[in-house]
């Protein structure tokens, strides 16, 4: 029987699969599909997520994919907005419907609306006229539901219907209101749920090795052990804490002493949100620090493969601030500051940026 996999080795394996050890020479579309989507709560977050993983990434490449309908923004895993390829949108959005029902059609929503199917039909009628802003859609529906408010109506609508957020929302250098079009209309194809077994394999290829609980934390679907127990071809491994891990036989598992460069991640980056046990990337103290920012998952930087602190770009002041969680060597500190400027220059190209360190207590 093989030796248990150390927590540090788990981190290196996931970083390799995330292309955070070495940037990949692939297209933005290929990376989005490899990662099974990028969380995109903030419109520009995905640009930073691709920049840190790809060689010579250009923001215009992603904007072109969004405008040409090869990539869309839509609610999916964990009930959050994701940037998905068109093919993944058609398969993953219906697969995640039970998750969306649980999050967006909760008891208070059902009580305020009553007939959720009736609301869905009314929303579909309004959407047939063409793209409609999210707030305008909610206001039009609210007239029929006096016991509800805009938030409740909006939750019920976007949880019930597969609605794409269309451009100019999330285009580089532009802004736009959240405006909806049904995914099937936008992509010209019907939605059909993907095979969960294929999705689990893709998750392991990008986030593994992982436990069943990790897979469920990534997507929020439940009862997946019943499925993984019958899946052929998976490796069954042990973590150093005794956890039962799943993996793909040919997936990379580099040595734990492989160098992990400093990496600047955008807010809401998938790699920090896709495991139930996040110890491969952060200490218990760091997890507590980040739990205080549960509404906004901040922009994090990694040092030697684990969370080193967070960083923030002040566009008006042309200032990048890094807040370390621990002391670094002189070389690591210099690498953090240099990478912070590089990350800031993604958003403020050809601008001279200042960089400063902030004390965690501030």
């Amino acid at each position: 029987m093989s030796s248990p996999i150390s927590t540090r080795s788990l981190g290196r394996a996931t970083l390799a699969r995330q292309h955070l050890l070495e940037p990949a020479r692939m297209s933005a579309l290929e990376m989005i599909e490899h990662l099974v989507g990028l969380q995109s709560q903030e419109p520009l977050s995905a640009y930073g997520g691709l920049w840190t993983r790809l060689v010579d990434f250009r923001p215009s490449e992603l904007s072109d994919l969004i405008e040409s309908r090869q990539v869309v923004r839509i609610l999916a895993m964990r009930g959050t907005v994701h940037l998905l390829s068109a093919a993944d949108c058609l398969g993953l959005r219906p697969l995640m419907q039970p998750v969306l029902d649980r999050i967006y059609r909760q008891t208070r929503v059902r009580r305020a609306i009553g007939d959720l199917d009736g609301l869905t039909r009314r929303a579909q009628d309004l959407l047939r006229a063409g793209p409609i802003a999210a707030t305008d859609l909610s206001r039009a529906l609210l007239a029929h539901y006096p016991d509800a408010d805009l938030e409740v109506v909006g939750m019920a609508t976007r949880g019930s219907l597969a609605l794409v957020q269309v451009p100019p929302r999330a285009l580089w250098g532009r802004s736009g209101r959240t405006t909806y079009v049904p995914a099937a209309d936008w992509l010209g194809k019907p939605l059909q749920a993907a095979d969960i077994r294929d999705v689990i394999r893709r998750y392991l290829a990008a986030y593994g090795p992982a436990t069943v609980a990790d897979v469920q934390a990534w997507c929020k679907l439940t009862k997946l052990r019943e499925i993984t127990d019958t899946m052929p071809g998976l490796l069954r491994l042990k973590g150093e804490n005794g956890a039962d891990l799943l993996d793909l036989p040919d997936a990379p598992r580099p040595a734990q002493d492989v160098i992990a460069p400093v990496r600047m991640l955008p807010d809401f980056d998938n790699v920090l949100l896709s495991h139930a046990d996040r110890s491969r990337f952060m200490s218990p103290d760091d997890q507590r620090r980040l739990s205080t920012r549960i509404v906004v998952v901040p922009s994090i930087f990694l040092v030697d493969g684990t969370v080193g602190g967070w960083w923030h770009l002040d566009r008006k002041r042309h200032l990048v601030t890094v807040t370390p969680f621990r002391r670094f060597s002189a070389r690591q500190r210099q690498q953090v500051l240099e990478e912070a400027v590089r990350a800031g220059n993604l958003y403020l190209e050809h601008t001279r940026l200042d960089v400063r360190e902030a004390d965690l207590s501030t």
Side-chain angles (χ1 to χ4, degrees), residues 311-326:
W311 65 281
H312 173 72
L313 173 63
D314 185 328
R315 294 168 182 260
K316 292 182 179 179
R317 298 168 63 193
H318 297 174
L319 174 67
V320 184
T321 302
V322 296
T323 305
F325 289 176
R326 61 181 184 272

Side-chain angles (χ1 to χ4, degrees), residues 11-152:
R12 289 301 192 268
T14 304
L15 290 173
R17 299 173 201 196
Q18 289 279 313
H19 296 282
L20 291 170
L21 291 183
E22 185 175 348
R25 292 188 179 277
M26 62 172 69
S27 71
L29 180 60
E30 288 170 332
M31 180 61 74
I32 292 166
E33 291 203 321
H34 168 69
L35 298 175
V36 204
L38 280 167
Q39 186 153 334
S40 186
Q41 294 295 96
E42 294 296 324
L44 299 185
S45 296
Y47 290 87
L50 291 170
W51 167 84
T52 200
R53 290 172 168 91
L54 293 173
V55 175
D56 298 328
F57 169 70
R58 294 173 293 102
S60 60
E61 182 182 1
L62 178 53
S63 284
D64 290 346
L65 290 171
I66 294 171
E67 286 198 286
S68 63
R69 308 190 186 192
Q70 295 179 73
V71 165
V72 299
R73 296 180 77 236
I74 193 168
L75 288 179
M77 286 73 71
R78 302 185 295 280
T80 56
V81 178
H82 271 68
L83 195 76
L84 300 174
S85 70
D88 276 343
C89 173
L90 296 171
L92 289 174
R93 176 55 179 78
L95 183 65
M96 298 301 155
Q97 190 58 52
V99 176
L100 300 171
D101 286 343
R102 195 165 65 244
I103 295 173
Y104 289 94
R105 293 163 65 102
Q106 54 191 256
T107 301
R108 75 183 182 98
V109 174
R110 294 196 302 271
R111 285 175 178 168
I113 300 297
D115 180 11
L116 285 172
D117 291 338
L119 178 139
T120 299
R121 289 191 295 272
R122 287 192 171 101
Q124 289 171 326
D125 289 341
L126 291 166
L127 287 158
R128 287 192 185 98
I132 182 170
T135 51
D136 294 342
L137 178 60
S138 293
R139 288 194 182 100
L141 292 168
L142 186 60
H144 301 279
Y145 303 98
D147 295 329
D149 57 29
L150 284 176
E151 180 188 6
V152 164

